[in-house]
Every structure is written in structure tokens, then in C-alpha cells.
């Protein structure tokens, strides 16, 4: 406990230019102000941050007035919810009037009522570890719901009955899974039970809010914890049903892998390789790992001799992935990137022990496009065999493929691969104007480039003229 007190004191000293000055401004105006939620929790965990949340007795108009002359910039997009934002040097602050909010059973939007006390405001927060506060400028610690003890025990618990909390805002069930993934905390049994009973209530929450929580969960340090909680409580059936569907019933001879556990392992092995992308959490890679086998339930077939097959699950999985990501309102660029990785994740297995021609390697690079590095990661992560000899062989073979790609890229600029002649040259050589035939010629030259590698302008022109003559014959 002494160490926690030391960390908090040091963090409050670091934040002094913000919390002391703001606290004095509000106090002089007869208003209360308190640092609340995540910043207080993170100070106790030793996690420094410059995004600060405050709760106040002041109404938004008063808050805005008190910020003028102090903040470098002020914005009020959250005014309807009682929130005024500001920037002061390196700090971003959001100051929200004490409030209580709840959902009508059939509504996706909260009804917001302003409250009149810090205790009431803390009581409506999602978890006890987020229901602690430091009143300023006096720096008085407030913990009416035992958040400090839960923080020490690394447990997520709600300030009141979890059923009441989740009824007020069903998205808090998703947040429980997200905080478990972010902090590595255990969710209290009564909270898990309430999530299980009330899982269907998540349906009233907008797809965009669910998506945002899912992204934070997947990008957290321990996503397996959060995803497992979603599956075990039944929430995943409503927000990402493809995940629990991977827990296929195994055939009586146990001749195929547990696809669900395999998927979580692939996710973790993807995370282990993120230094290839700069080291930061990469949602596209992680979500592709999570979705790469979602086509298996639909394509599973039992054949003679107890053999289980999943033919074309890559193509089917890519379609399922697109449909799910559209339903969650992801941007088209993210949808395209993840779906492409899902569709290509099996391509390497046709490489054998190196039988691909240079042409096949070029096509692999072309089809991966700007997702090539992520495809390398996913393909490597997809090896979860316990047979170390087999795993080592696959690693060596993929090392060889990457080396061939590097060599060809250096020789031929694979990343920017194009035909040896452009559209204007094609029209000039063939004496034709813009139209379908130019596109067909361009496509043919691209395939030629893939099959035979780069050619000189003279060689490409001769090949094109021959192709054109054969067409006219």
C-alpha cells in the first residue's frame, strides 16, 4: 500500500500544473472539481497519462467560462452530455458535470440528467476501480465503493448491483471484457453471472459503440482474457458470433484441432511478431488472426476414414469477415485489408518445399499488395503444431520464401509491379484508341510480366504485336 501511495503522490505532483490550478479556479467560483476514473486508477498502477477526466458540480456553461483564460484550446462537442474539453500544454482534459444516465429498454441512446454530488456521480460509474476520485485543489482521495481494495486484488466489480449497472448501460458488459484484456484483471463472479443473464441486452447498443470496444479489447495486452469472457458469457453470440462458432464439436476420433483454441493461439503468436510492424498493437493483423478460420464451421466435411476437411474455408471466411465487419461499421479500408489476409492465409501451403516458380512468387506478392508484411506474420502465426520438427521445417520454408521475395523485389521492384508498357504505349504500338481492347492488352502484358519477369521495351513490343496478330487471325 505504501508503494501505491508513493506512486499516486508522484503522479499528482506531475499533474500539479493542471489539477491545482484548475481546482483553485473552480473552488474560487464556488464549484467542486475532482479528478476521476481512469487517471486515478492508472496513477495507482503506475501508468502515466496526459488525458485527464474531471467531474464537477459546475454546469457546462460555467465550466466553459472557467476554462477561458487558462486553456490553450476549448471544445464543446460533448456539451449535451455535460462535457467540455480543453487542452493545456501537453494535457488534454475533459470536465463533465456530475451526472446520472440510463437507457430506456428499447433505446440506443442514454438519457442524461445532471447530478448534484461527487458520491452520486461515482456511484453510477462502471467499475469500482473507476469509481475513485481525488478532489482538488486539496488532493483528497475519495473511494466510497472500495475501488482501492479491488485494484489491489486485481478484480473488476461494479459499485452497486451489476444487474442495475448493465441495465443502465449494457455496453458496460463489453467494457468488463475490455478492462480484463487491458489490465489483466479477473472479473468478479457476480459480474460474470449478470453478464451471462443479460447478454442479449447488448443488442440495443449501436454497432459503432460495440465496434469501438471490440477494437480496444483486441488491441489490449491480454486479448485472450477478454475474448474468452465474451464467449463464456454469451456476449460473443451477439457481437462476434463467428468466434464461439469456432468451438466445433470434435469428431469421435479427435482427428482435427480445436479451432477455437487454435485461433486464440494464432492471435497470440501474431502479437509476438508485431515488432515487424513497428511494435505497436496492430488491429488489422490481430483481427485477421481472429477471423482467419471463421469459414471452417461452414465448410467442414467428414469423409471416409474419419478425415475432416475444410475445403475453401479461406474464401468463405473472407466473405464472412466482410459481412461481420460491415455490420460493425468498420471503414472499407480496414474491411478490405482484413478480408484479403483471411483469403490469402492458406496460399503459402501450396509452396510445398519450394516448388513455386518465380511467377508464383510474383503473384503472391501482387495479390498481397500492401498487406504483404501482415501476410508474412499471419502465415507464420498460423503454425500451432506441437511437432517441433514440423514447425521448424515450416519456419525454414517460409524463411526461404521471404528470401526469394526479397531477391526478386530487389531485382524487379515487385511492390510496384506493372506491365512493361503503359496504356499510351499500347495504343501507339497497336494504332488503337481508348477502349476495352487497351485494358485487355494491359492485362495480358501484366500476366506476361508475372510469368516471365521484366522485359525490355523492344521485347515487350514484339510480344504485344504477336498477341495482337494472333487475336486478329
Amino acid at each position: 500500500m505504501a508503494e501505491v501511495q508513493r506512486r499516486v503522490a508522484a503522479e499528482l505532483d506531475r499533474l500539479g500544473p493542471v489539477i491545482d490550478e484548475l481546482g483553485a479556479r473552480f473552488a474560487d467560483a464556488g464549484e467542486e472539481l475532482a479528478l476521476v476514473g481512469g487517471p486515478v486508477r492508472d496513477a495507482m498502477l503506475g501508468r502515466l497519462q496526459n488525458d485527464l477526466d474531471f467531474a464537477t458540480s459546475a454546469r457546462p456553461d460555467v465550466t466553459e467560462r472557467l476554462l477561458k483564460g487558462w486553456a490553450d484550446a476549448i471544445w464543446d462537442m460533448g456539451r449535451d452530455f455535460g462535457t467540455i474539453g480543453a487542452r493545456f500544454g501537453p494535457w488534454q482534459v475533459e470536465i463533465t458535470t456530475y451526472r446520472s444516465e440510463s437507457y430506456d429498454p428499447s433505446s440506443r441512446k442514454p438519457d442524461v440528467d445532471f447530478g448534484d454530488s461527487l458520491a452520486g456521480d461515482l456511484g453510477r460509474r462502471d467499475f469500482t476501480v473507476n469509481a475513485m476520485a481525488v478532489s482538488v485543489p486539496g488532493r483528497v482521495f475519495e473511494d466510497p465503493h472500495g475501488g482501492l481494495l479491488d485494484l489491489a486484488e486485481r478484480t473488476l466489480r461494479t459499485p452497486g448491483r451489476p444487474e442495475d449497472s448493465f441495465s443502465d448501460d449494457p455496453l458496460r458488459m463489453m467494457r468488463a471484457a475490455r478492462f480484463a484484456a487491458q489490465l489483466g484483471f479477473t472479473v468478479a463472479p457476480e459480474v460474470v453471472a449478470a453478464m451471462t443473464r443479460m447478454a442479449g441486452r447488448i443488442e440495443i447498443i449501436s454497432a459503432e459503440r460495440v465496434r469501438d470496444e471490440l477494437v480496444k479489447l483486441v488491441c489490449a495486452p491480454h486479448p485472450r482474457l477478454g475474448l474468452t469472457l465474451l464467449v463464456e458469457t454469451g456476449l460473443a453470440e451477439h457481437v462476434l458470433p463467428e468466434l464461439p462458432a469456432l468451438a466445433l464439436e470434435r469428431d469421435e476420433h479427435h482427428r482435427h484441432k480445436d479451432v477455437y483454441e487454435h485461433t486464440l493461439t494464432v492471435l497470440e503468436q501474431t502479437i509476438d511478431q508485431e515488432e515487424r510492424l513497428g511494435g505497436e498493437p496492430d488491429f488489422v493483423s490481430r483481427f485477421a488472426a481472429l477471423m482467419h478460420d471463421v469459414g471452417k464451421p461452414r465448410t467442414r466435411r467428414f469423409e471416409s476414414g474419419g478425415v475432416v476437411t475444410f475445403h475453401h474455408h479461406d474464401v468463405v471466411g473472407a466473405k464472412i469477415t466482410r459481412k461481420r465487419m460491415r455490420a460493425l461499421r468498420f471503414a472499407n479500408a480496414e474491411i478490405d485489408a482484413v478480408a484479403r489476409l483471411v483469403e490469402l492465409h492458406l496460399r503459402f501451403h501450396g509452396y510445398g518445399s519450394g516448388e513455386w516458380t518465380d511467377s508464383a512468387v510474383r503473384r503472391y506478392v501482387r495479390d498481397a499488395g500492401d498487406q504483404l508484411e501482415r501476410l508474412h506474420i499471419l502465415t507464420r502465426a498460423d503454425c500451432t503444431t506441437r511437432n517441433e520438427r514440423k514447425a521448424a521445417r515450416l519456419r525454414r520454408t517460409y524463411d526461404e520464401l521471404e528470401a526469394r521475395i526479397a531477391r526478386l523485389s530487389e531485382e524487379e521492384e515487385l511492390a510496384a509491379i506493372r506491365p512493361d508498357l503503359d496504356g499510351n504505349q499500347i495504343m501507339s504500338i497497336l494504332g488503337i484508341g481508348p477502349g476495352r481492347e487497351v485494358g485487355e492488352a494491359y492485362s495480358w502484358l501484366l500476366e506476361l510480366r508475372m510469368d516471365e519477369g521484366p522485359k525490355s521495351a523492344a521485347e515487350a513490343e514484339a510480344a504485344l504485336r504477336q498477341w495482337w496478330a494472333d487475336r486478329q487471325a
Side-chain angles (χ1 to χ4, degrees), residues 23-150:
R25 277 179 170 262
F26 278 73
D28 290 345
E31 302 287 0
E32 298 175 0
L33 185 70
L35 184 69
V36 295
V40 179
R41 177 201 70 221
D42 288 346
M44 294 179 177
L45 293 172
R47 293 155 44 116
L48 305 184
Q49 61 169 285
N50 286 348
D51 291 341
L52 307 179
D53 295 325
F54 294 86
T56 182
S57 58
R59 296 300 191 256
D61 290 346
V62 176
T63 295
E64 186 174 27
R65 175 171 57 81
L66 292 174
L67 287 172
K68 288 180 179 177
W70 175 82
D72 298 325
I74 300 172
W75 53 89
D76 67 349
M77 285 88 76
R79 181 184 295 273
D80 290 344
F81 295 93
T83 300
I84 302 296
R87 178 174 54 80
F88 178 73
W91 290 284
Q92 302 269 12
V93 304
E94 287 193 348
I95 304 176
T96 302
T97 303
Y98 297 152
R99 67 190 188 187
S100 60
E101 64 182 32
S102 61
Y103 277 80
D104 179 270
S106 60
S107 173
R108 291 187 171 193
K109 296 184 179 179
D111 297 320
V112 177
D113 294 317
F114 294 140
D116 56 9
S117 72
L118 177 60
D121 185 87
L122 295 178
R124 56 155 287 278
R125 293 181 177 267
D126 50 10
F127 303 104
T128 60
V129 296
N130 295 329
M132 299 180 287
V134 176
S135 295
V136 293
R139 300 190 183 183
V140 177
F141 179 56
E142 311 279 355
D143 183 21
H145 302 286
L148 183 57
L149 179 60
D150 285 337

Side-chain angles (χ1 to χ4, degrees), residues 1 32 74 85 102 106-107 120 204 226 269 300 336 352 402 426 435:
M1 190 63 71
E32 298 175 0
I74 300 172
S102 61
S106 60
S107 173
I204 74 166
Q269 293 185 170
R300 183 174 61 158
D336 290 343
E402 284 203 59
I426 290 170

Side-chain angles (χ1 to χ4, degrees), residues 248-468:
L248 301 171
E249 292 183 10
R250 304 181 71 173
D251 64 286
E252 59 179 324
H253 301 291
H254 301 279
R255 291 185 180 173
H256 70 271
K257 293 179 180 178
D258 183 325
V259 183
Y260 171 69
E261 287 297 328
H262 164 76
T263 293
L264 295 180
T265 300
V266 173
L267 171 60
E268 290 176 329
Q269 293 185 170
T270 293
I271 294 170
D272 290 341
Q273 299 180 72
E274 283 182 330
E275 69 277 359
R276 296 183 63 151
L277 299 170
E280 293 298 316
D282 184 71
F283 174 75
V284 169
S285 288
R286 294 187 182 199
F287 203 62
L290 201 59
M291 302 295 284
H292 80 283
D293 273 348
V294 295
K296 280 191 170 180
R298 192 172 295 180
T299 59
R300 183 174 61 158
R301 299 290 183 271
F302 294 100
E303 299 183 355
S304 60
V307 175
V308 182
T309 64
F310 303 97
H311 294 311
H312 308 301
H313 77 266
D314 46 349
V315 177
V316 172
K319 292 178 180 178
I320 293 172
T321 297
R322 285 185 179 278
K323 183 177 180 180
R324 176 54 49 199
M325 293 186 74
R326 287 192 190 108
L328 288 169
R329 305 290 194 271
F330 278 96
N332 287 336
E334 285 183 303
I335 295 173
D336 290 343
V338 175
R340 182 185 299 181
L341 290 168
V342 172
E343 186 169 358
L344 293 177
H345 82 274
L346 286 182
R347 181 74 67 85
F348 164 70
H349 294 285
Y351 188 72
S353 57
E355 287 82 4
W356 276 4
T357 62
D358 284 353
S359 172
V361 175
R362 294 186 192 101
R363 283 186 167 79
Y364 188 74
V365 173
R366 180 193 65 179
D367 292 346
D370 59 2
Q371 299 306 312
L372 180 62
E373 192 66 28
R374 289 186 173 116
L375 183 58
H376 291 332
I377 291 171
L378 177 58
T379 303
R380 290 180 180 276
D382 196 24
C383 175
T384 62
T385 179
R386 295 181 181 179
N387 183 327
E388 184 51 40
R389 290 182 61 185
K390 180 179 179 182
R393 185 173 69 251
L394 286 171
R395 284 194 297 270
R396 286 194 303 270
T397 304
Y398 206 84
D399 288 344
E400 178 191 335
L401 174 58
E402 284 203 59
R404 288 183 66 185
I405 290 172
R407 176 177 57 79
L408 287 172
S409 294
E410 185 176 351
E411 294 173 357
E412 305 177 16
E413 298 184 17
L414 286 186
I417 198 163
R418 294 182 298 274
D420 297 296
L421 301 173
D422 63 24
N424 289 328
Q425 290 171 307
I426 290 170
M427 288 187 288
S428 175
I429 291 168
L430 300 182
I432 59 176
R436 178 174 54 83
E437 291 174 324
V438 178
E440 291 174 353
Y442 188 92
S443 296
W444 182 82
L445 284 169
L446 179 59
E447 290 301 313
L448 184 67
R449 171 77 166 77
M450 288 289 176
D451 288 335
E452 300 181 9
K455 294 182 179 295
S456 67
E459 291 171 333
E461 179 177 341
L464 176 64
R465 289 187 182 280
Q466 183 61 54
W467 172 80
W468 183 251

